């Protein structure tokens, strides 16, 4: 009984940590899209601060600047989980 409770607790805590990482990645991608829309060339580094292993792609079309990122979750026992986030901002460069 005790090992099952410990396993359940570990999974629950891992899920909470995973959700936190997803929120951080999403916030970083939103910041990066806003910065890129204003012409800041260092916007990608905002995402890489959250996850050094993130793959970041940006594209511009239709007056929008979008940033897409995928990053492996850093949870130890829960390997193979990939987080992804996307955000767009209106192009303010002109």
């Amino acid at each position: 009984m005790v090992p099952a409770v410990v396993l359940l607790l570990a999974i629950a805590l891992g899920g909470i940590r995973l959700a936190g990482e997803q929120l951080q990645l999403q916030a970083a991608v939103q910041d990066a899209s806003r910065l890129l829309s204003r012409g800041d060339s260092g916007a990608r580094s905002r995402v890489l601060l959250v996850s050094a292993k993130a793959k970041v792609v940006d594209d511009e079309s239709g007056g929008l600047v979008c940033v897409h990122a995928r990053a492996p979750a850093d949870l130890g026992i829960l390997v193979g989980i990939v987080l992804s986030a996307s955000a767009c901002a209106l192009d303010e460069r002109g």
Side-chain angles (χ1 to χ4, degrees):
M1 179 71 177
V2 174
V5 171
V6 171
L7 179 63
L8 183 63
L9 183 60
I11 291 172
L13 291 175
I16 291 169
R17 186 167 167 203
L18 184 66
E21 285 188 23
Q22 176 65 41
L23 289 172
Q24 287 180 339
L25 183 63
Q26 184 65 45
V29 167
Q30 288 172 338
D31 286 345
S33 68
R34 282 192 299 271
L35 289 171
L36 274 177
S37 75
R38 295 176 186 149
D40 187 341
S41 61
R44 287 172 156 240
S45 63
R46 181 78 88 192
V47 176
L48 296 175
L49 285 173
V50 172
S51 175
K53 297 178 183 177
K55 299 202 181 342
V56 183
V57 177
D58 58 83
D59 64 71
E60 301 172 23
S61 63
L64 291 176
V65 176
C66 298
V67 176
H68 312 280
R70 293 177 57 85
D74 186 22
L75 295 177
I77 61 169
L78 297 175
V79 296
I81 297 175
V82 178
L83 304 174
S84 64
S86 297
C88 296
L90 287 174
D91 194 349
E92 298 177 11
R93 293 173 286 183

